[in-house]
Amino acid sequence: MTAVAAGPLAGAAHPRPQRWLARPLTTDRDTVTAQARQLLATHHPDTTGPVCCLTTRDRSATFTVGDPPHVIVKWHADEAAYLGERLAYDLLAAERLLPCLRGSCDEARTLLVDYLPDTADLTDLDVFDDLINLVARVHTASARWEPAVREAMVQWRVDTLLTQDPPWVEDAPSWRRMLHLVATAHGPAHVPVGNLDLAADHVRRQSSGRLALVDVETLRPDVTGLPDVVTLAYLATRAHHPRPGPWVRARYLHHLARVGVTWTDRNLLAALGGFAAATGLTSLHGLDL
């Protein structure tokens, strides 16, 4: 277990061990771009065109392919991170809120997705409300899964998680109280999909004009959606929306109520407090005002 050093979830326990990368990627852009070209030629030979490095870190690198770009290539250093992002495309396929997945390769730990060049303007209140609605759809996606997906994910149901102690938090009773509140709102068969890597430049426009999320490697079927609500409040504060914490909380409850999720404001606040106590989160960014 490590703690998030900075950002919206600063201080919170993080289910990732130190020195978790056995083979980190190089951060030299020229070297990693040459390596990406070789990966494409070997594992994705139908994807051709100029390759340009957008980001390179020890844990992942992203590239555009084509001129103009038409595909994004995401290359993971860590198998678990790759599988987590690949799982996100499976679990959220019916929601159509991610870029179209054009291909993936387990051996190379690569994903190919549509290139979405246009970021969304989160300073626009209506656009931000659309983002809250999108996040609420992620959090309720398990209610709309096909039977085969529900069966495969049964070990992550809230009623199952309540029988276990989470190995990556120090305050298990607070975590369990939070899960009880999640079960009360969503039902005991709910799979708490959440923990998105929400950031302003990760919210994009699809060709249809609808919002989409990119970089979903952090999504997990056990952390719940509560850290996403905290991050939404953080982003709303940075976008200078009035009373961002109470507004995000109210709009989140509104969008969930439309699909039959029975969170009350009191229980949501208690659950957010339980998440903070269990993980060591340093701030709720005004959600508790």
Side-chain angles (χ1 to χ4, degrees), residues 1-3 13-20 59 78 81 168 217-218 220:
M1 180 186 72
T2 58
H14 190 51
R16 178 178 290 168
Q18 294 182 349
R19 295 181 296 278
W20 59 286
R59 63 182 184 271
D78 179 65
W168 52 274
E217 66 189 74
T218 58
R220 290 172 59 101

Side-chain angles (χ1 to χ4, degrees), residues 87 90-91 142 144-154 191:
L87 180 66
D90 292 333
L91 297 183
S142 63
R144 297 179 292 277
W145 285 344
E146 296 292 329
V149 179
R150 288 201 300 269
E151 183 177 348
M153 299 299 293
V154 68
V191 177

Side-chain angles (χ1 to χ4, degrees), residues 152-158 160-161 164 190-192 220-222:
M153 299 299 293
V154 68
Q155 66 175 312
W156 304 109
R157 285 172 38 148
V158 177
T160 302
L161 295 175
Q164 307 164 0
H190 173 65
V191 177
R220 290 172 59 101
D222 60 345

Side-chain angles (χ1 to χ4, degrees), residues 247-266:
W247 179 73
V248 164
R249 198 175 77 235
R251 296 309 298 169
Y252 180 70
L253 289 169
H254 167 79
H255 290 300
L256 288 180
R258 291 176 61 190
V259 292
V261 177
T262 57
W263 273 114
T264 65
D265 190 51
R266 179 177 180 178

